[in-house]
Amino acid sequence: MNLSKILQINGNKYPDREALVLGEQRLTYRQWNEQADHLAQHLQQRGIQRGDKVVLMMPNVPDFAILYFAVLRAGGVVVPINVQFSRDEVAYILEDCQAKGLVVHEGVFPAVAELAKMQSSRFYVKTGPPEGRWESLGDWKSSLTRGQADTFDPMTLTEEDEVDILYTSGTTGRPKGVRFSHGNLLTVGTMTAIEFEVNLESRILHMMPLSHSAPLHLMFISAVIVGASHVFYPSFAPDLFLRLVEQERVTHFFGAPVAYLLSMQEPAFHRTDLSSVKYWLYGGAPLSKTQADAIAEGFGKDKLVCVYGLTEAGPSGTLMHHRDHHEKSGSIGRRGALFTEVEIVDEEGQPCPVGQIGEIRLRGEGMMQGYLNRSKEMAQTLKNGWVYSGDLAFRDEDGFFWIVDRKKDVIITGGINVYPKEVEDALGSHPAVEEVAVVGLPHQTWGETVTAFVVPKPGKSPLDEEAWLKEIRCFLKGKIAEYKIPRRVKVLTELPRNTSGKILKHQLKENRTGSGSYA
């Protein structure tokens, strides 16, 4: 079995069932299946063969869903990327995965328009009208007749074939591609459907970026497997979130904790009918017991579930239903999700006893195939069938897992990973910056906020921290994605270091009081 075949089956079984929804745009499973065939045929005519990569820079819209399956049916591999990526970030990914094509949404086109000058053999497509070397997706759709589509023969795929590559930043500062097979996604999608009762009558709201593993692999794929309805919106906004849940009778939603925290601040929150929802899922960012309790109180602990995992694991990991373990708010649960094993181990890979801090590792059929072009990093993360998370945790006497820190310096802000080295490298090129260290400091709403500790070069005009913040944000605009740009700056005369010269970031994190300017 493969994902493309599942959509084909659902197109035949549920031809008139509502499949893709965005405002007034409503597509049935038959229409989704037929349009995927149309575009797959066009992709093959453009030379896409088995294993070729096609990058999709699309927000949460029906065209994303159609293109995702069109690429698979043509034999290709989907590479979905964040619409907030800068031109340089997109250019790097195109070269790293040797993409044969790039499809972007009109809304983000201006930021990447010049990329069409890069490689003449690559095709470039955008929604909206054509422009220069950029072809129109609308023209692609209209160029094929129904008769042509009827003769289309999809590529024969197996569970071992590669399905997509998700890019996640590495500790070197360069994004790395995480490779998945159809079998991996069928595993985590089935897990989600069973654990959270996703079925034929479900209506899944997609407002978190489908370029991320949990929204795409857990929510999107599980809904495809069972023939559920997909309700899209290009980005998250708390007022629209509440309105869509009520209007579309949404049954399932996954979001970063910030999505729930912001929504609870909306004046309309307490008068919005949220009764249709069966499960509110949250994950992707640290959450205190106080915050978890507040969300459970606001959205209903009988419906709220904490999920923990990482991209390399599918994602899969642990889960905790608040209805069963409300007193353990702040924990990530005490069992692995379906098909998943979870352990805490020491530096030698031996299981840790109760109360001892170690690293979380996970094992299951949803685990990644590996990193693209990163054999050394893959060997560090994937060992003997286990994915090592880099998260430090302990297990209490009741068996619950509690995360205490991260081995890697990843910052999680609003559910999105930011790796300090990438920001430091970009900021280090500023002519007035002698040294810089970037860490995540606690933030009430976003979980963590990206914070830069800057040491100015000698002789440079001293700037106050507010001026430094404005300068840094202006300097980094277009170099890295907006969410990676520091929102807080602190100016120091020197960075704390140990005797080996290594920067002591834990001391910077402890230096969270006093001066500092915020965006």
Side-chain angles (χ1 to χ4, degrees), residues 115-173:
L115 291 177
K117 300 176 182 177
M118 286 180 59
Q119 184 175 321
S120 59
S121 61
R122 181 182 297 135
F123 63 80
Y124 298 86
V125 186
K126 61 189 281 288
T127 61
E131 184 172 330
R133 283 197 62 206
W134 289 88
E135 302 175 64
S136 167
L137 182 64
D139 291 345
W140 276 31
K141 288 181 177 181
S142 61
S143 66
L144 296 169
T145 66
R146 183 180 178 85
Q148 287 177 301
D150 288 343
T151 63
F152 174 67
D153 186 19
M155 179 74 68
T156 301
L157 302 170
T158 70
E159 291 189 9
E160 287 71 39
D161 281 306
E162 201 164 294
V163 58
D164 64 23
I165 298 173
L166 303 188
Y167 270 84
T168 178
S169 295
T171 54
T172 62

Side-chain angles (χ1 to χ4, degrees), residues 156-360:
T156 301
L157 302 170
T158 70
E159 291 189 9
E160 287 71 39
D161 281 306
E162 201 164 294
V163 58
D164 64 23
I165 298 173
L166 303 188
Y167 270 84
T168 178
S169 295
T171 54
T172 62
R174 284 295 195 179
K176 56 181 180 289
V178 186
R179 300 166 43 244
F180 294 97
S181 69
H182 285 263
N184 296 147
L185 270 58
L186 287 168
T187 297
V188 295
T190 301
M191 176 273 292
T192 304
I194 293 174
E195 292 278 17
F196 307 116
E197 302 176 69
V198 181
N199 56 46
L200 191 61
E201 303 304 320
S202 298
R203 296 178 66 81
I204 314 300
L205 176 58
H206 302 291
M207 294 186 84
M208 298 292 107
L210 286 169
S211 54
H212 296 178
S213 58
L216 180 64
H217 290 174
L218 301 187
M219 308 311 294
F220 179 74
I221 296 301
S222 66
V224 172
I225 289 173
V226 302
S229 298
H230 303 257
V231 180
F232 293 98
Y233 199 78
S235 60
F236 179 83
D239 56 337
L240 287 171
F241 164 64
L242 296 172
R243 192 185 315 161
L244 285 172
V245 171
E246 181 176 69
Q247 291 179 351
E248 296 293 345
R249 306 303 295 162
V250 167
T251 62
H252 294 76
F253 174 74
F254 169 86
V258 65
Y260 296 99
L261 294 169
L262 290 175
S263 298
M264 291 169 62
Q265 298 173 18
E266 284 293 307
F269 178 72
H270 292 291
R271 62 175 183 268
T272 303
D273 181 5
L274 305 177
S275 61
S276 61
V277 176
K278 293 175 64 177
Y279 283 99
W280 302 108
L281 284 73
Y282 74 87
L287 197 60
S288 68
K289 176 174 172 53
T290 300
Q291 290 174 320
D293 286 343
I295 294 174
E297 179 69 24
F299 286 87
K301 67 179 182 181
D302 58 321
K303 299 180 178 183
L304 188 66
V305 184
C306 167
V307 293
Y308 163 82
L310 59 153
T311 297
E312 289 86 343
S316 191
T318 65
L319 70 157
M320 185 180 73
H321 294 262
H322 282 255
R323 63 174 179 247
D324 298 326
H325 310 294
H326 189 47
E327 73 282 0
K328 297 290 187 177
S329 289
S331 164
I332 59 170
R334 63 176 175 184
R335 71 171 177 89
L338 185 66
F339 310 133
T340 307
E341 298 175 77
V342 183
E343 291 184 346
I344 297 178
V345 296
D346 59 22
E347 292 292 340
E348 284 70 45
Q350 297 301 309
C352 292
V354 170
Q356 180 178 317
I357 295 174
E359 183 175 0
I360 296 176

Side-chain angles (χ1 to χ4, degrees), residues 55-67:
V55 174
L56 303 184
M57 191 176 185
M58 305 281 289
N60 296 355
V61 294
D63 276 340
F64 174 92
I66 297 166
L67 284 161

